[in-house]
């Protein structure tokens, strides 16, 4: 084993201890200046945070004041008033509702209820453009439950007249509606599917709107709802009669898609054909539904 060389103490040189230099005044001034700058940064950050909080509070106050004013004006109108006057206020209300979702303003469920109650008075107006504006507001409020059914009825009423197709082409109502329909389930929201897919069936008769529906994922949504229904049926879950009506409307819309030659491949790609075959087996006793399914396949 190699031994380490022994280093004698006299060969170790220790560093000499030097007396500390007196503090440099210029260095001290620089340190104080740096600390001052850091304090300024912290103060600016604090001021910025407070300013943002104040801004949110001011926006909320302005939002509520504008909303209250618009709702009050609408409440004073009668359904028999001039449609253009009603539409103008509905558009103002929708602008306010949309603003809520692009700012930091907290959603107020009480105010949502008040808005729905206010616009509900105009649902019986015999003017599809008024109904469209009402539907857009409801959809922008991200409604759930029975309100999905209510807005589906509105969209169905508008969509059954092909003269109204332009509304669906020129506004974002179709996108909002598809998102809303995606929150519905075949068993719990059967009525919503009856009117929702009834509306889609009318709209997909228009080639432009059919393309728009496909781009929004309507076909995938249909397949999902079919899969949910097939699963429930295979597990012997009781199927409400209204759900069967909803699926009949859904298959009617699917027929419109399948009737377009270059869209048939999409049905196989997204799994629609497999679910349709399964549906035909599980619902073999429903003649009308099976007839629709066979025509698609």
């Amino acid at each position: 084993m190699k031994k380490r060389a022994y280093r004698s103490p006299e060969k170790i040189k220790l560093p000499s201890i030097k007396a500390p230099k007196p503090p440099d005044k210029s260095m001290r001034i620089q340190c104080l200046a740096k600390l001052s700058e850091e304090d300024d940064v912290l103060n600016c950050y604090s001021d910025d945070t407070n300013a943002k909080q104040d801004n949110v509070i001011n926006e909320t106050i302005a939002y509520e004041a504008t909303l209250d004013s618009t709702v009050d004006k609408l409440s004073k109108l009668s359904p028999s008033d001039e449609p253009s006057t009603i539409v103008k206020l509905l558009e103002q209300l929708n602008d306010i509702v949309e603003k809520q979702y692009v700012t930091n303003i907290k959603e107020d469920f009480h105010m949502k209820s008040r808005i729905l109650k206010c616009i509900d008075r105009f649902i019986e107006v015999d003017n599809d453009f008024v109904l469209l504006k009402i539907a857009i507001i409801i959809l922008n409020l991200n409604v759930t439950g029975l309100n999905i059914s209510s807005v589906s009825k509105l969209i169905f009423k508008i969509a059954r007249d092909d003269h109204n197709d332009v509304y669906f082409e020129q506004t974002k109502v179709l996108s909002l509606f598809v998102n809303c329909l995606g929150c519905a389930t075949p068993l719990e929201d059967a009525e919503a599917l009856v009117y929702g897919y009834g509306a889609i069936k009318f709209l997909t008769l228009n080639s432009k709107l059919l393309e728009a529906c496909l781009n929004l994922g309507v076909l995938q949504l249909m397949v999902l709802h079919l899969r949910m229904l097939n699963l429930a049926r295979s597990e012997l879950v009781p199927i409400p009669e209204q759900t069967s009506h909803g699926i009949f409307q859904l298959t009617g819309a699917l027929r419109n898609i399948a009737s377009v030659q270059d869209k048939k491949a999409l049905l196989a790609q997204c799994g629609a054909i497999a679910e349709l075959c399964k549906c035909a087996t599980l619902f073999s006793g429903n003649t009308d539904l099976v007839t629709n399914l066979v025509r698609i396949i």
Side-chain angles (χ1 to χ4, degrees):
M1 180 183 292
K2 252 188 176 180
K3 291 186 177 180
R4 292 182 181 177
Y6 178 76
R7 181 176 283 182
S8 61
E10 61 269 19
K11 291 182 180 178
I12 300 175
K13 292 184 179 180
L14 298 174
S16 58
I17 300 172
K18 297 180 180 179
K21 290 183 179 179
D24 187 352
K25 289 185 179 180
S26 61
M27 182 64 71
R28 185 180 178 186
I29 292 171
Q30 288 177 10
C31 290
L32 289 173
K34 189 173 182 181
L35 287 172
S36 178
E37 286 176 5
E38 290 175 354
D39 286 341
D40 289 342
V41 170
L42 289 173
N43 289 332
C44 287
Y45 177 77
S46 177
D47 291 343
D48 187 50
T49 302
N50 292 334
K52 286 181 179 178
Q53 290 175 345
D54 290 342
N55 189 42
V56 170
I57 292 170
N58 291 334
E59 281 184 352
T60 303
I61 294 171
Y63 168 82
E64 290 176 351
T66 310
L67 183 56
D68 284 339
S69 173
T70 307
V71 170
D72 287 341
K73 288 176 184 177
L74 263 173
S75 300
K76 292 174 184 177
L77 290 181
S78 165
S80 59
D81 283 334
E82 183 64 33
S84 60
T85 305
I86 299 173
V87 165
K88 185 177 179 181
L89 283 174
L90 287 173
E91 287 177 340
Q92 288 179 15
L93 181 58
N94 185 58
D95 288 342
I96 296 167
V97 170
E98 283 187 333
K99 183 181 179 182
Q100 179 179 358
Y101 295 99
V102 295
T103 63
N104 294 320
I105 298 169
K106 188 177 180 181
E107 186 174 1
D108 187 337
F109 290 98
H110 173 71
M111 188 57 72
K112 179 187 283 191
S113 176
R114 187 182 171 197
I115 292 171
L116 290 171
K117 186 177 179 181
C118 175
I119 62 180
D120 183 65
R121 299 167 53 247
F122 302 99
I123 284 180
E124 298 303 323
V125 171
D126 188 22
N127 185 296
D128 288 345
F129 195 53
V130 171
L131 298 183
L132 176 79
K133 296 299 178 181
I134 293 172
I136 290 174
I137 292 172
I138 297 174
L139 292 168
N140 271 324
L141 287 171
N142 296 327
V143 294
T144 56
L146 291 175
N147 286 320
I148 297 179
S149 178
S150 298
V151 76
S152 295
K153 289 178 181 179
L154 276 177
I155 298 295
F156 177 83
K157 189 174 181 181
I158 301 166
R160 64 185 178 180
D161 186 346
D162 60 357
H163 291 100
N164 294 332
D165 285 358
V166 64
Y167 298 153
F168 293 92
E169 292 173 8
Q170 296 179 354
T171 69
K172 60 179 182 180
V173 66
L174 184 58
S175 173
L176 291 170
F177 180 56
V178 171
N179 286 337
C180 181
L181 202 58
C183 297
T185 62
L187 298 182
E188 296 177 3
D189 305 293
E191 188 178 47
L193 295 192
V194 172
Y195 290 98
Y197 281 120
I200 296 294
K201 183 177 70 175
F202 287 133
L203 295 174
T204 49
L205 291 170
N206 179 315
S207 59
K208 286 184 180 178
L209 291 175
L210 185 148
E211 197 67 40
C213 285
L214 291 176
N215 290 336
L216 290 169
V218 164
L219 183 56
Q220 288 77 7
L221 181 60
M222 290 175 172
V223 174
L224 174 63
H225 282 154
L226 275 173
R227 188 172 292 133
M228 292 169 72
L229 180 68
N230 288 338
L231 180 62
R233 184 72 162 191
S234 63
E235 293 179 349
L236 304 180
V237 175
I239 306 296
E241 184 180 354
Q242 207 164 28
T243 296
S244 298
H245 295 323
I247 298 303
F248 179 78
Q249 295 295 340
L250 183 156
T251 54
L254 267 177
R255 280 184 63 190
N256 290 341
I257 297 172
S259 65
V260 181
Q261 189 62 36
D262 63 344
K263 304 300 179 187
K264 286 184 178 180
L266 290 176
L267 299 182
Q269 290 171 9
C270 69
I273 299 297
E275 294 301 330
L276 289 170
C277 292
K278 193 180 296 183
C279 189
T281 303
L282 292 169
F283 292 87
S284 57
N286 189 327
T287 309
D288 292 334
L289 179 57
V290 172
T291 302
N292 252 1
L293 294 170
V294 170
R295 287 173 178 170
I296 298 169
I297 299 169

